[in-house]
Amino acid sequence: MSEQKQAQQHVVIVGAGMAGVQTAVALREQGFAGPVTLIGAEPHQPYDRPPLSKAVLLGKAEDSAFDVDFEALSIELRLGLEVTGLRAEAHEIDTEAGPVPYDVLVVATGAQPVTLPGTEGVPGVHLLRTLDDAARLKPVLERRHDIVVVGAGWIGAEFATAAREAGCAVTVVEAADRPLAGALPADVAAPMARWYEESGAALLTHARVARIEPGSVVLADGRTLPADAVVVGIGARPATDWLDGSGIALDAGGSITADDRLRTSLPDVYAVGDCASFPSARYDERLLVHHWDNALQGPRTVAADIIGETPRVYDPVPYFWSEQFGRFVQYAGHHTGADELVRRGDPAGASWSVLWLRAGVLVALLAVGRPRDLAQGRKLIEAGMRVALERATDPSVPLKAAVE
């Protein structure tokens, strides 16, 4: 794109989380000279989310604002502004403050937590997605309340960890038979159940919530759990309701179906981060990745395509991490299509890894307390390398030395 044309192109980014902020920054870093407007629904300065379940929640940090000088980068911030619709033919979005025209639109609205039916507006029931959510939960932890966490996924485990560190009595209620049931196979996730007990938290599996009453949670089997506060962490769904009627292509779950350059079905409209899926040639399927690294990597592809650089296909090795119960858990890749599972180390121990192979090629890796395995394994996945089983199963052998 010529500088003259760039100067006339107005890029509007909806969503001021990691994906939106990084798109704005990447545009400037890659030399985009036109006006950039970043619209956020929350009134706060744009901030990072991972610290909310850790440092911010425990009072070790006031906030987690991004270290970005938006004024110096000539990025216009419009905060506390709800976007209500998209009219593609007019090249406008609708907001509470009136329409905003765009030449290029980037949708980065992320995901919103799934609520527990019947709990909307019930006192003492919390979600943990925003800075305001964390602010409401901080005094709960400070008062060392009895807390029930609904859902033993990533956010449930991280919140339970923080609550135990604060000295709260914690019971985690999970409808499935194990933690992380939606993320990991049973034989991989099963050892993690012990982590709850070791931390002093109670984990109840095969447990469904019937209703929440003042001071208690009633389970479907009749058990009643004391609960001064209830934290719900049962997943998230793409925040795309505002796109109803826009004509943009969504899948059955509500995520925007972007292409391999993160372009949507509408002209001049991109989608990046938690709200969008993309086709992966590496894994031969469409991926929806609700993790921080995807929101960091995708914007570079979007910015390059807007500027008109040689098209860069977006096909990353998904990556995420979680700090829970004194352990650093990392995952890279996508294991759904794997045909072989390889263990490195004893899952009852402090550090171990699991590898997933497809036709001998490493496609995914889970590392618990083994960051070197993760770093080396991620590179092997990116390179599509085959690994030798006898060396890969020996935790004393560096993964990079296990290549066939």
Side-chain angles (χ1 to χ4, degrees), residues 175-195:
D177 62 347
R178 63 189 187 277
L180 296 170
L184 296 172
D187 55 347
V188 174
M192 298 175 173
R194 287 193 300 271
W195 300 356

Side-chain angles (χ1 to χ4, degrees), residues 28-402:
R28 292 298 188 230
E29 286 180 346
Q30 296 181 32
F32 182 77
V36 175
T37 299
L38 181 63
I39 299 176
E42 294 182 56
H44 311 289
Q45 276 291 112
Y47 62 87
D48 204 5
R49 293 192 191 279
L52 296 184
S53 61
K54 306 174 186 74
V56 174
L57 194 60
L58 290 169
K60 297 176 182 177
E62 283 299 309
D63 59 34
S64 54
F66 291 114
D67 185 18
V68 175
D69 190 335
F70 295 99
E71 188 175 352
L73 292 172
S74 297
I75 296 167
E76 180 191 13
L77 284 184
R78 298 191 65 180
L79 303 176
L81 183 61
E82 196 78 41
V83 177
T84 58
L86 164 60
R87 289 176 290 109
E89 287 185 11
H91 267 57
E92 286 184 342
I93 55 172
D94 291 318
T95 77
E96 297 168 319
V100 176
Y102 67 85
D103 294 305
V104 177
L105 177 67
V106 181
V107 180
T109 43
Q112 58 197 35
V114 175
T115 57
L116 197 62
T119 62
E120 291 87 345
V122 175
V125 178
H126 301 264
L127 300 168
L128 180 52
R129 180 73 181 179
T130 68
L131 191 60
D132 290 337
D133 292 337
R136 283 188 287 267
L137 277 164
K138 256 171 69 175
V140 172
L141 266 59
E142 288 166 359
R143 290 195 291 267
R144 299 189 175 182
H145 278 176
D146 288 339
I147 296 175
V148 171
V149 179
V150 183
W154 300 112
I155 193 68
E158 291 184 1
F159 177 79
T161 300
R164 285 299 300 138
E165 187 175 330
C168 300
V170 178
T171 302
V172 181
V173 175
E174 171 56 53
D177 62 347
R178 63 189 187 277
L180 296 170
L184 296 172
D187 55 347
V188 174
M192 298 175 173
R194 287 193 300 271
W195 300 356
Y196 289 78
E197 184 181 353
E198 291 169 6
S199 78
L203 173 64
L204 306 181
T205 55
H206 298 289
R208 293 186 177 275
V209 175
R211 63 187 182 277
I212 295 175
E213 299 176 346
S216 66
V217 172
V218 181
L219 301 182
D221 62 9
R223 282 179 289 178
T224 300
L225 309 174
D228 298 309
V230 179
V231 177
V232 178
I234 55 174
R237 61 182 185 85
T240 54
D241 290 350
W242 65 281
L243 293 168
D244 286 351
S246 68
I248 199 167
L250 306 174
D251 68 15
S255 66
I256 300 167
T257 50
D259 69 7
D260 60 8
R261 283 153 62 186
L262 301 179
R263 300 172 299 186
T264 74
S265 61
L266 296 178
D268 304 316
V269 180
Y270 295 79
V272 64
D274 290 5
C275 65
S277 67
F278 56 89
S280 170
R282 185 192 311 279
Y283 293 106
D284 195 28
E285 65 179 284
R286 182 168 283 276
L287 300 182
L288 176 63
V289 181
H290 278 191
H291 292 294
W292 186 90
D293 192 65
N294 179 50
L296 176 68
Q297 304 291 345
R300 296 167 190 162
T301 294
V302 171
D305 205 71
I306 290 172
I307 289 168
E309 289 186 357
T310 304
R312 262 192 294 178
V313 168
Y314 188 63
D315 194 6
V317 173
Y319 167 73
F320 67 87
W321 79 96
S322 176
E323 295 176 77
Q324 51 183 270
F325 308 116
R327 292 166 173 86
F328 188 41
V329 183
Q330 295 172 283
Y331 178 95
H334 181 66
H335 65 264
T336 302
D339 53 35
E340 192 162 15
L341 185 146
V342 178
R343 296 186 183 277
R344 284 168 61 81
D346 181 3
S351 62
W352 46 276
S353 297
V354 172
L355 316 179
W356 285 270
L357 311 180
R358 185 174 62 206
V361 175
L362 184 64
V363 293
L365 166 76
L366 174 74
V368 176
R370 291 182 67 89
R372 189 171 296 177
D373 274 6
L374 191 288
Q376 295 180 9
R378 191 177 184 183
K379 291 177 181 176
L380 298 184
I381 295 169
E382 286 172 349
M385 302 298 290
R386 296 175 62 87
V387 298
L389 290 183
E390 65 277 6
R391 293 199 294 278
T393 53
D394 184 347
S396 69
V397 175
L399 258 187
K400 63 182 180 183

